[in-house]
Amino acid sequence: MVRIKLFNRSHVGFISVKKNVTFVQQAEVEDTLKRIEAREDVVGIIIVNLDGVYLRSTLDDALTAQYTKHLDRLTVMARSVVRNIDPEDDLTSLRLRIEKNDKHEIMVEVQYVFIIVRCV
Amino acid sequence: MDKGDGLDRGKKSKPSDQLKLTEAELKENITKVLNTHNPHAPQNIVRFNYKEGVYQRVSVDHTAILFEMESNIVYQDSEEGRRLMLKQAEEEDRPDSVASKADKKGVKLGNFFHFTDRATQTLNNPPRQINCQTAPPPRSIFSATANQWQIYDAYCEELQKQEKQKATLLKKETDKSKKGVLVTETQVLFSISPLAKETKILERMVHQNTFDEIAQDFKYFEDPSDKFRGQEGTLLPLWTFQHEETRGLSVTALCWNSKYQDLFAVGMGSYDFCKQGRGMIVFYSLKNSSFPEYVFPTTSGVQCLDIHPQHFYLTVVGFYDGCVAVYNLKKKSLEPVCKGTPKTSLLTNPVWQVRWQNDDIDNNHNFFSVSADSRVVSWTLIKHELISTETIRLSVNGGLSNVPDDEQLQYFSSTAGGTSLDFHKQTDHLFLVGTEQGKIHKCSIHYSSKFLKTYNAHNSAVYTVKWNHFHPRVFISCSADWTVKIWDDTIKVPVFTFDLMSAIGDVAWAPYSSTIFAAVTIDGIVRVFDLSINKYEAICQQLVVAKKKTKLTHIEFNPVHPVIIVGDDQGLVSSFKLSPNLRKTPKVRKQMEI
């Protein structure tokens, strides 16, 4: 849950108008996520927030917890690398390929930390 | 004398446990020997000798020390003695030393008659310990890393704080009304809408993985067999673009975006007169072939569209019912920015071609459209409204004839519907119009009454006219009479004529060469011609559709990549990569040989 507090010194109080746009966007995002999920290659999607708590997942709990824990640390380190080289830069996404056995690929987007686990 | 102290002297008494000896034994002489053997010293101390590996007796010293005292006598002639003597001599020389004082008074020997030692001992106070213990200060263990970016972040925060302070200072100065502070709290439930961008990128990532080979082909594959094939080339199939909602519609228009060269627009509608219904405008990106980027459903079938070359987010669309609309991709809505309707509302005259033109003097966007009601109309976009001005009316006789508005018969007989329109690449005001009757008119925006030139091009409707991208005088036309003709605009007769054995859908010039063009036909074959190589035959003829009955309707070359897109009447858009033989740019020649 995210709370937004608005302070306003004038006598007119205002509430953010972005709510409507938010809902439309949300529908689109949901659609896109469903499409990605529906692909035969994709094993699962995990959405994690900045604190490392996973919000939504299509995999089972234990696996999700594992992925989240490890990938969170990895993204922190990767981000540290990128920003150390140029502080104005920032990490946007990460792709990991696992060659053995299953040939998975994990894709991580870093704004809200997305993880998709895909089988090649 | 006997003092009576209790001791019995003189009386001899035997203790009870005294040894009783005989007389003889008493007189026996017992010798006692004194030796230096210490009776208390142990005799049997052994120590283990590691060298020999046996226990060995240790000899013990038999000397018993009764008294020991350290002496402070130093031998006179030794080093230490001499030192001390020197020191003593020095001391004697000092004025306040005891010896010197003694000297003055005379040497006084101390003997124990008048030299006594007296000492007293003071009371030693018993020592006592007093301790005090304070409470330990609260401690916490703190660890942090200082990276380049953390330092940078800290500086940025500082900067922001300072700026805020400045801003509040300014506010305080200007803000006079000091009414109460209103706090409104809105609760936003968890929403994933900020993830829109990321989801898109992820979808493209996943898509790239799925179609990895195609992406690699698109970027890097050059057909090596072209060397052995002589002059001919091939088309390598890449992605196919299809959307479920476009079933039943055919591709009626294709256009690449000039700024984002992987984005293209597809107009969906129907060429069939009987099956007119809805339409669609779909934008695809080469990066995601499974789902379009933008979808705009329309009430009427789309017949043509054009993307503005400078303002890449503006798309103008012409409909079957004669309307035109401008869509703005930057706006989130599915509705067009503005819509224009034709003046003659009695008949539905499909708009066959729309083309953007440069902004006019007031920086308003404007475009031209040609429609089946035989008018070339110029539309100007002024503040979300479309204002149309008629540029030219196409008539059979080649000039503006006074056509009264109500007379429909005369309307039909003396005017010919326009089917295609193209503006000259270099000269803005010059354009070509192709008509249903098979004529091509070269006109100018400035002259609205007369055509500059008329070409009796074809026997039936001209489907497409296009100016060459490079050569200022050459244009190409294709028509329903199954021919493709290439013209020089100074000559009334076509320079080249190609008779393709089936009905032609569309023709397009290549943007990288002045001699290459491609044509699509309803038998599903794409033909690529290169006039500098072969003037009579296509250098590539390829069947590109799987199903036999699919008719190809449109073709467009990508402005940058060696890719063409082909639309067909099933609503499918296929993309192909041109093999190297098809991409030869001609050497620079001084004159174009015709």
Side-chain angles (χ1 to χ4, degrees), chain B residues 191-226:
Chain B
S191 72
I192 49 170
S193 51
L195 304 171
K197 197 179 159 203
E198 281 74 32
T199 0
K200 212 173 191 179
I201 296 177
L202 264 169
E203 203 193 345
R204 286 186 182 181
M205 271 195 206
V206 175
H207 172 271
Q208 189 197 15
N209 271 346
T210 320
F211 294 106
D212 185 37
E213 296 151 352
I214 298 181
Q216 302 281 353
D217 281 347
F218 161 72
K219 201 72 189 182
Y220 303 115
F221 182 74
E222 306 290 349
D223 201 344
S225 62
D226 263 14

Coordinates of all heavy atoms in Angstrom, one line a residue, chain B residues 191-226:
Chain B
S191 N -0.6 -0.5 -7.4 CA -0.9 -0.6 -8.8 C 0.5 -0.8 -9.5 O 1.5 -0.4 -9.1 CB -1.5 0.6 -9.3 OG -0.6 1.7 -9.4
I192 N 0.4 -1.6 -10.6 CA 1.6 -1.8 -11.3 C 1.8 -1.0 -12.5 O 2.5 -1.2 -13.4 CB 1.7 -3.3 -11.7 CG1 0.4 -3.7 -12.4 CG2 2.1 -4.2 -10.5 CD1 0.5 -5.1 -13.0
S193 N 1.0 0.1 -12.5 CA 1.1 1.0 -13.7 C 2.4 1.6 -14.0 O 2.8 1.9 -15.1 CB 0.0 2.0 -13.7 OG 0.1 2.7 -12.5
P194 N 3.2 1.9 -12.9 CA 4.5 2.5 -13.3 C 5.4 1.5 -14.0 O 6.4 1.9 -14.6 CB 5.2 2.8 -11.9 CG 4.1 2.7 -10.9 CD 3.0 1.9 -11.5
L195 N 4.9 0.3 -14.1 CA 5.8 -0.8 -14.8 C 5.5 -0.9 -16.2 O 6.0 -1.8 -16.9 CB 5.5 -2.1 -14.1 CG 5.7 -2.2 -12.6 CD1 5.1 -3.5 -12.1 CD2 7.1 -2.1 -12.3
A196 N 4.7 0.1 -16.8 CA 4.3 0.0 -18.2 C 5.5 -0.1 -19.1 O 5.6 -1.0 -19.9 CB 3.5 1.2 -18.6
K197 N 6.5 0.7 -18.9 CA 7.6 0.7 -19.7 C 8.4 -0.5 -19.6 O 8.9 -1.1 -20.6 CB 8.5 1.9 -19.3 CG 9.5 2.3 -20.4 CD 10.3 3.5 -19.9 CE 11.6 3.6 -20.7 NZ 12.6 4.3 -20.0
E198 N 8.6 -1.0 -18.3 CA 9.4 -2.2 -18.1 C 8.7 -3.4 -18.7 O 9.4 -4.2 -19.3 CB 9.6 -2.4 -16.6 CG 10.7 -1.5 -16.0 CD 10.2 -0.1 -15.8 OE1 9.0 0.1 -15.6 OE2 11.0 0.8 -15.9
T199 N 7.4 -3.5 -18.6 CA 6.7 -4.6 -19.2 C 7.0 -4.7 -20.6 O 7.2 -5.7 -21.2 CB 5.2 -4.6 -18.9 OG1 4.9 -3.4 -18.2 CG2 4.7 -5.8 -18.2
K200 N 6.9 -3.5 -21.3 CA 7.1 -3.5 -22.7 C 8.5 -4.0 -23.1 O 8.6 -4.8 -24.0 CB 6.9 -2.0 -23.2 CG 6.4 -1.9 -24.5 CD 6.1 -0.5 -24.8 CE 5.3 -0.4 -26.1 NZ 5.0 1.0 -26.4
I201 N 9.5 -3.5 -22.4 CA 10.8 -3.9 -22.7 C 11.0 -5.4 -22.5 O 11.6 -6.1 -23.2 CB 11.8 -3.1 -21.8 CG1 11.8 -1.7 -22.2 CG2 13.2 -3.6 -22.0 CD1 12.7 -0.8 -21.4
L202 N 10.4 -5.9 -21.4 CA 10.4 -7.3 -21.1 C 9.8 -8.1 -22.2 O 10.3 -9.2 -22.6 CB 9.8 -7.6 -19.8 CG 10.8 -7.7 -18.6 CD1 10.1 -7.7 -17.3 CD2 11.7 -8.9 -18.8
E203 N 8.6 -7.7 -22.7 CA 8.0 -8.4 -23.7 C 8.9 -8.5 -24.9 O 9.0 -9.5 -25.6 CB 6.6 -7.7 -24.0 CG 5.7 -8.7 -24.7 CD 4.5 -8.0 -25.3 OE1 4.3 -6.9 -25.0 OE2 3.8 -8.7 -26.1
R204 N 9.5 -7.4 -25.2 CA 10.4 -7.4 -26.4 C 11.6 -8.3 -26.2 O 12.0 -9.0 -27.1 CB 10.9 -6.0 -26.7 CG 9.8 -5.1 -27.3 CD 10.3 -3.8 -27.7 NE 9.3 -3.0 -28.2 CZ 9.5 -1.7 -28.7 NH1 10.7 -1.2 -28.6 NH2 8.5 -1.0 -29.1
M205 N 12.0 -8.3 -24.9 CA 13.2 -9.2 -24.6 C 12.8 -10.7 -24.9 O 13.5 -11.4 -25.5 CB 13.5 -9.1 -23.2 CG 14.5 -8.1 -22.8 SD 15.1 -8.5 -21.1 CE 15.5 -6.9 -20.6
V206 N 11.6 -11.0 -24.4 CA 11.2 -12.4 -24.5 C 10.9 -12.7 -26.0 O 11.3 -13.8 -26.5 CB 9.9 -12.6 -23.7 CG1 9.3 -14.0 -23.9 CG2 10.1 -12.4 -22.2
H207 N 10.4 -11.7 -26.7 CA 10.1 -11.9 -28.1 C 11.4 -12.1 -28.8 O 11.5 -12.9 -29.7 CB 9.4 -10.7 -28.6 CG 9.2 -10.7 -30.1 ND1 10.2 -10.1 -30.9 CD2 8.3 -11.1 -30.9 CE1 9.8 -10.2 -32.2 NE2 8.6 -10.9 -32.2
Q208 N 12.4 -11.3 -28.5 CA 13.7 -11.4 -29.2 C 14.3 -12.8 -29.0 O 14.8 -13.4 -29.9 CB 14.7 -10.4 -28.6 CG 15.9 -10.3 -29.4 CD 17.0 -9.6 -28.6 OE1 16.9 -9.5 -27.4 NE2 18.1 -9.3 -29.3
N209 N 14.1 -13.4 -27.8 CA 14.6 -14.7 -27.5 C 13.9 -15.7 -28.4 O 14.5 -16.7 -28.9 CB 14.4 -15.1 -26.1 CG 15.7 -14.6 -25.3 OD1 16.7 -14.3 -25.9 ND2 15.5 -14.6 -24.0
T210 N 12.5 -15.6 -28.5 CA 11.8 -16.5 -29.3 C 12.2 -16.5 -30.7 O 12.4 -17.5 -31.4 CB 10.3 -16.2 -29.2 OG1 10.0 -15.8 -27.9 CG2 9.4 -17.4 -29.6
F211 N 12.3 -15.3 -31.2 CA 12.6 -15.1 -32.6 C 14.1 -14.7 -32.8 O 14.4 -13.9 -33.7 CB 11.7 -14.0 -33.2 CG 10.3 -14.4 -33.3 CD1 9.4 -13.8 -32.4 CD2 9.8 -15.3 -34.1 CE1 8.1 -14.1 -32.4 CE2 8.5 -15.6 -34.1 CZ 7.6 -15.0 -33.2
D212 N 14.9 -15.4 -32.0 CA 16.3 -15.0 -32.0 C 16.9 -15.1 -33.4 O 17.7 -14.3 -33.9 CB 17.0 -15.9 -31.0 CG 18.5 -15.4 -30.9 OD1 18.7 -14.2 -30.9 OD2 19.3 -16.3 -30.7
E213 N 16.6 -16.2 -34.1 CA 17.3 -16.5 -35.4 C 16.9 -15.4 -36.4 O 17.7 -14.9 -37.1 CB 16.9 -17.8 -35.9 CG 17.3 -18.9 -35.0 CD 16.4 -20.1 -35.1 OE1 15.4 -20.0 -35.8 OE2 16.8 -21.2 -34.6
I214 N 15.6 -15.0 -36.3 CA 15.2 -14.0 -37.3 C 15.8 -12.7 -37.0 O 16.3 -12.0 -37.9 CB 13.6 -13.8 -37.2 CG1 12.9 -15.2 -37.5 CG2 13.2 -12.7 -38.1 CD1 11.5 -15.1 -37.5
A215 N 16.0 -12.4 -35.7 CA 16.6 -11.1 -35.4 C 18.1 -11.1 -35.9 O 18.6 -10.1 -36.4 CB 16.6 -10.9 -33.9
Q216 N 18.7 -12.3 -35.7 CA 20.1 -12.4 -36.2 C 20.2 -12.3 -37.7 O 21.0 -11.6 -38.3 CB 20.7 -13.7 -35.8 CG 20.7 -14.0 -34.3 CD 21.8 -13.3 -33.6 OE1 22.7 -12.7 -34.2 NE2 21.8 -13.3 -32.3
D217 N 19.2 -12.9 -38.4 CA 19.2 -12.9 -39.8 C 19.0 -11.4 -40.3 O 19.6 -10.9 -41.2 CB 18.0 -13.7 -40.4 CG 18.3 -15.2 -40.4 OD1 19.5 -15.5 -40.2 OD2 17.4 -16.0 -40.6
F218 N 18.1 -10.8 -39.6 CA 17.7 -9.4 -40.0 C 18.9 -8.5 -40.0 O 19.2 -7.7 -40.8 CB 16.6 -8.9 -39.1 CG 16.5 -7.4 -39.1 CD1 16.0 -6.7 -40.1 CD2 16.9 -6.7 -37.9 CE1 15.8 -5.4 -40.1 CE2 16.8 -5.4 -37.9 CZ 16.2 -4.7 -39.0
K219 N 19.7 -8.8 -38.9 CA 20.8 -7.9 -38.7 C 22.1 -8.3 -39.6 O 22.7 -7.4 -40.1 CB 21.2 -7.9 -37.3 CG 21.9 -6.7 -36.8 CD 21.1 -5.4 -36.7 CE 22.1 -4.3 -36.4 NZ 21.5 -3.0 -36.3
Y220 N 22.3 -9.5 -39.6 CA 23.6 -9.9 -40.1 C 23.6 -10.8 -41.3 O 24.7 -11.0 -42.0 CB 24.4 -10.7 -39.0 CG 24.5 -9.8 -37.7 CD1 23.9 -10.2 -36.6 CD2 25.3 -8.7 -37.8 CE1 24.0 -9.4 -35.4 CE2 25.4 -7.9 -36.7 CZ 24.8 -8.3 -35.5 OH 24.9 -7.5 -34.4
F221 N 22.5 -11.5 -41.6 CA 22.6 -12.5 -42.7 C 22.7 -11.9 -44.0 O 21.9 -11.1 -44.4 CB 21.4 -13.4 -42.6 CG 21.4 -14.5 -43.6 CD1 22.2 -15.6 -43.4 CD2 20.6 -14.5 -44.7 CE1 22.3 -16.6 -44.3 CE2 20.6 -15.5 -45.6 CZ 21.5 -16.6 -45.4
E222 N 23.7 -12.3 -44.8 CA 23.9 -11.9 -46.2 C 23.9 -13.1 -47.0 O 24.8 -14.0 -46.7 CB 25.1 -11.0 -46.4 CG 25.3 -9.8 -45.5 CD 24.3 -8.8 -45.8 OE1 23.6 -8.8 -46.9 OE2 24.1 -7.8 -45.0
D223 N 23.0 -13.3 -47.8 CA 22.9 -14.6 -48.6 C 24.2 -14.8 -49.4 O 24.5 -14.0 -50.3 CB 21.7 -14.5 -49.5 CG 21.3 -15.9 -49.9 OD1 22.1 -16.8 -49.7 OD2 20.1 -16.0 -50.3
P224 N 25.0 -15.8 -49.0 CA 26.2 -16.0 -49.8 C 26.0 -16.6 -51.1 O 26.9 -16.4 -52.0 CB 27.1 -16.9 -48.9 CG 26.0 -17.6 -48.1 CD 24.8 -16.8 -48.0
S225 N 24.9 -17.2 -51.4 CA 24.7 -17.8 -52.6 C 24.4 -16.8 -53.7 O 24.3 -17.2 -54.9 CB 23.5 -18.8 -52.6 OG 22.3 -18.2 -52.2
D226 N 24.3 -15.6 -53.4 CA 24.1 -14.6 -54.4 C 25.2 -14.4 -55.4 O 25.1 -14.0 -56.5 CB 23.8 -13.2 -53.7 CG 22.3 -12.9 -53.6 OD1 21.5 -13.9 -53.8 OD2 21.9 -11.8 -53.3

